[in-house]
Amino acid sequence: MSVQGKTPAVEVCDLKVRFGSFTAVDGIDFEVRAGEIFGFLGANGAGKTTTIRCLCGLLIPTAGRVLVGGADVAKDPTAVKSIVGYMSQKFTLYSDLTIEENLNFAASLRKLDRSLRDRRIRELYGLIDLKVPGKTMVRDLPGGILQQVALVAAMLHDPSIIFLDEPTAGVTPANRALFWDLIGKISAE
């Protein structure tokens, strides 16, 4: 239970993840409140991505308790997947498709009907202030816009919790600042 008496958006207690004899995550604890921007730092190989994959319901913890939006990752990973958006550290868009094709594909994975998909794309284009045509090939996008489009793809189903894994890696300092301004705006909502 968080200090304010409200259920945390994310609660991690003694999380452990092992792959055979290798321990990737060894007993971490943290809470994140709704609307809070939370990050953790560590060297490459420290278990950050593994932890995020657990939070998204993509990996089941070896031990410990992970609750995301009140759902237990070990008991109901499907419920977790329905309430989270995930933007991985590697670009998750297909370079040989247009922006629109990528977003339509992402929406189909979430089984969004056409009217909801179209409405969410319009809303999210407005949120990121997209200035390039939707018919633009993803391979032709600069890094900052590519990250914004990947964020739109992660948010199409209107998740209550969004996990970003190194969202500004490889972008210019100016684009990094714009991206974090955007994250602040999303968090406020």
Side-chain angles (χ1 to χ4, degrees), residues 4-38:
Q4 299 168 330
K6 295 181 182 178
T7 303
V10 176
E11 185 177 2
V12 176
C13 300
D14 198 27
L15 173 63
K16 292 180 173 84
V17 181
R18 293 185 190 95
F19 299 101
S21 62
F22 175 73
T23 300
V25 178
D26 193 12
I28 63 171
D29 301 278
F30 61 90
E31 286 185 2
V32 182
R33 292 181 307 276
E36 183 177 14
I37 298 173
F38 177 89

Side-chain angles (χ1 to χ4, degrees), residues 100-114:
E100 287 176 358
E101 290 167 335
N102 268 282
L103 295 179
N104 288 340
F105 177 68
S108 71
L109 292 176
R110 293 288 186 172
K111 297 180 172 69
L112 299 183
D113 67 51
R114 172 174 257 146

Side-chain angles (χ1 to χ4, degrees), residues 53-139:
R53 293 186 70 214
C54 282
L55 296 172
C56 292
L58 301 172
L59 275 177
I60 301 302
T62 306
R65 185 175 64 152
V66 178
L67 300 174
V68 178
D72 188 318
V73 169
K75 293 178 183 169
D76 197 357
T78 302
V80 171
K81 291 174 190 172
S82 71
I83 61 171
V84 302
Y86 174 52
M87 185 176 143
S88 77
Q89 66 183 344
K90 306 237 187 313
F91 292 123
T92 54
L93 302 172
Y94 293 95
S95 62
D96 57 340
L97 297 177
T98 66
I99 294 170
E100 287 176 358
E101 290 167 335
N102 268 282
L103 295 179
N104 288 340
F105 177 68
S108 71
L109 292 176
R110 293 288 186 172
K111 297 180 172 69
L112 299 183
D113 67 51
R114 172 174 257 146
S115 64
L116 177 58
R117 176 200 69 197
D118 292 346
R119 181 177 58 79
R120 286 294 294 158
I121 288 173
R122 279 191 311 276
E123 290 171 0
L124 293 167
Y125 275 7
L127 179 70
I128 67 168
D129 195 24
L130 186 67
K131 300 229 187 298
V132 297
K135 301 278 186 210
T136 304
M137 297 297 287
V138 163
R139 69 173 155 256

